[in-house]
Amino acid sequence: MPPADVIPEGGEAPPADVPGPLLTSGTSADVYALDDERVLRRYREGRDAAPEVALLRHVHAHGFPSPDVLDASGSDIVMTRLHGPTLLQALGAGEISLPDAAQVLADLHAGLHGVPAPESWKVAADHDWPSLSGGPVVVHLDLHPGNVILTESGPGVVDWANARTGTAELDVAITAVLIAEVVVDAGGDYSQAARVLLAAFLHASDVSPVPALEDAAGLRAVAPLLLPGERELVPQAAALVRAMVDVTAHP
Ligand SMILES: Nc1ncnc2c1ncn2[C@@H]1O[C@H](COP(=O)(O)OP(=O)(O)O)[C@@H](O)[C@H]1O
Ligand SMILES: [Mg+2]
């Protein structure tokens, strides 16, 4: 039985007992402000949030900048509210330069990949992501500027929906491919800016995405919730990353 307060599918009016003002409606979840300190993130499709909650709690306990989970059940997560623009919004508003944004992303990757995988997660059998077989560290696998919030005390990472255990190379490769998809979308408004961001990210990252590029492209190609046309951009995006790594010094 679904809980009584689940939002009905199909664009019907939300029930009167919505938990608070809707902050944003993202690709898969609605995020409500409960008060100044807390948000509720709720999957629209009723997916179980338990796996990501476990990893989010784990990385938070290791000091990685991320919301503190206060309560969770079913597809709901109540967590601390991070105040500030997303990195994407800050880029759009000219509040941060592309090289600085790239450095923020690279630093977050480096910090996250210092967090060891929880013991029970080191070998993960995952039906959604068959090419992931677990790994030594926690990986976010969707670490793009829209999932970084710039707070007064520094950047924090939200949206742990894809979090797993894996390798740093895979996580860096996914971010690189995500940015490259914007670059190769030549008709897009942000193609040029994304190219600069990608070059700077590859330069700032201590980890080369190359060993994991094929896996990353494979995962992106099967990602649910891709917009029409996005899937077709993935091979081109991966090829671009490979070409750009060749001209970007790597240790
Ligand atoms: N803990 C939080 N504090 C403040 N804002 C948040 C928080 N979690 C998510 N958000 C906001 O909600 C947006 C959508 O949430 P996200 O978890 O990224 O869901 P989706 O999978 O739909 O992208 C984020 O881009 C961010 O702006
Ligand atoms: Mg998101």
Side-chain angles (χ1 to χ4, degrees), residues 23-29 31 39 41 67 79-82 86 146-147 149 158-159:
L23 258 188
T24 63
S25 194
T27 45
S28 62
V31 178
V39 299
R41 183 184 190 278
M79 57 188 144
T80 48
R81 180 171 176 179
L82 304 186
T86 66
N147 284 334
I149 297 181
V158 297
D159 198 353

Side-chain angles (χ1 to χ4, degrees), residues 9 45 203:
E9 285 177 38
E45 303 294 332
H203 185 73

